[in-house]
Amino acid sequence: MCPPRLNALIFSVPNTSSAVSITRSKNCNANLKSIHLANWDDRLLLSHHHQRSKHQLIIIIIVIIKMKFPLLLVAIAFAVPRASAKKECTCPLLNRPDYRELEVSARWIVHSLDWGVLSSISSRLDSNPPFGNVYSFVDGPCDESFGIPYFYASPMDQSLSDTEENNQVSFTLSEAAFPFTCGGHNFEECQISPEGGDPSNPMCARLTLTGKLEQLEKGGSEFQQVNGWLFHRHAAMKSWPDDHGWVIMKFKIEDIWFIDFFGGANVIKPEDYLNATLDFGDLMDMDTNEGSTNVGSDANGSSFVGYATLFIVVVLGSAIGNFIAATRQKVSNPSYQQVDKSDDVSNSGK
């Protein structure tokens, strides 16, 4: 009896009518293994006289490369373009302003980040402590900044329940959240490290806006405009349940507390903040952000590179497979072996 190894293996090829069978003869000494591929135009028969299971794996690999196994190609087709193409982002990102330009830096944070912590006076607890809640927001479309946060909220949420009794709120943002923005990356000052990086580092800018929340009139022109901004920059909001009574809340800024350097915090006048302008021509270099780009949603160039790489992989794989198959067929050909032996005999006679 042969050792307990693979005696037969049959598997089908997805999306084709073909099947691949690998069999081993009952004669353990001869132990002839063969692969037969049915219903393919290009047929392959491989034989060898070794008993080790690793040769079975080698034969399968040769078949996969030789026949351009559909599953392998599908995997490459999906993996290669996505590996080489950079992540597509909804909005381009602007370069970080000079820390000495306080109003511009504060506006940059509000426009660049996608979420922050909205704090209200709790109506749920008798002592009315502050209550913080993470909220997504926008301050305008991708290519324009108004500096005013807008929120897509439901009356079912605790924050809106609180503001029904007291609409005084604060909204806190930190540069430490920048990596969570599509195309964003960690700033050295914000990334926790022995060298001093930390979200609490004064050079990792943080901003707190204080004011009141006001609900926009549903269906009004401002509501429609802001609704478009929210759905563009936060696409998932489109699919949120309709029965939650969604409203849009506008933040009316009364006070701005900002720190982005050593020496204490700065209190910025709301009018100076609102009059500051961002340079939308000063786009962040995509090469500084690994695995992402901030050139909007156009990544055709990267996709072209990915598909070109796929083409090269397929061509090289086919060439290697053809070479290996031809070599094995030549070596295993009895007539080739006989000629080789006759050459040895004639040479020894000389």
Side-chain angles (χ1 to χ4, degrees), residues 46-227:
L46 299 175
S47 300
H48 65 77
H49 303 282
H50 299 285
Q51 187 171 321
R52 302 188 181 188
S53 59
K54 67 179 182 180
H55 292 124
Q56 296 170 342
L57 177 61
I58 292 174
I59 294 176
I60 294 174
I61 293 174
I62 293 172
V63 171
I64 290 174
I65 297 176
K66 167 70 178 175
M67 305 309 300
K68 303 178 185 66
F69 191 43
L71 188 59
L72 178 65
L73 292 187
V74 170
I76 295 175
F78 276 92
V80 173
R82 284 156 180 76
S84 59
K86 296 179 182 293
K87 188 195 301 182
E88 297 181 7
C89 297
T90 302
C91 295
L93 294 177
L94 306 181
N95 278 320
R96 192 188 201 186
D98 190 304
Y99 73 91
R100 290 167 292 192
E101 300 179 44
L102 298 177
E103 293 82 6
V104 176
S105 295
R107 284 287 295 270
W108 175 82
I109 289 177
V110 172
H111 183 70
S112 300
L113 297 184
D114 294 321
W115 60 273
V117 177
L118 182 68
S119 298
S120 55
I121 303 300
S122 177
S123 59
R124 184 176 58 86
L125 301 173
D126 294 336
S127 58
N128 304 119
F131 172 75
N133 198 2
V134 171
Y135 254 92
S136 298
F137 75 103
V138 296
D139 84 319
C142 293
D143 57 355
E144 191 172 6
S145 166
F146 293 96
I148 300 172
Y150 291 90
F151 307 94
Y152 193 59
S154 167
M156 300 169 66
D157 185 70
Q158 183 62 46
S159 296
L160 258 64
S161 297
D162 292 344
T163 57
E164 287 179 0
E165 298 189 13
N166 186 342
N167 68 343
Q168 197 75 27
V169 294
S170 65
F171 189 52
T172 301
L173 302 169
S174 169
E175 279 186 334
F178 194 63
F180 298 96
T181 299
C182 184
H185 63 281
N186 251 326
F187 293 116
E188 186 178 349
E189 300 88 348
C190 301
Q191 188 170 9
I192 297 175
S193 69
E195 288 72 30
D198 195 276
S200 293
N201 183 339
M203 294 181 68
C204 180
R206 52 190 187 272
L207 171 74
T208 297
L209 306 175
T210 302
K212 296 177 181 178
L213 281 187
E214 294 182 355
Q215 182 176 331
L216 296 184
E217 180 186 354
K218 204 160 191 177
S221 58
E222 187 177 10
F223 179 94
Q224 297 292 349
Q225 186 179 43
V226 175
N227 191 73

Side-chain angles (χ1 to χ4, degrees), residues 23-37:
T23 59
R24 185 173 67 179
S25 66
K26 295 181 180 180
N27 185 345
C28 295
N29 294 326
N31 195 26
L32 177 65
K33 303 177 184 66
S34 64
I35 295 181
H36 179 69
L37 297 100

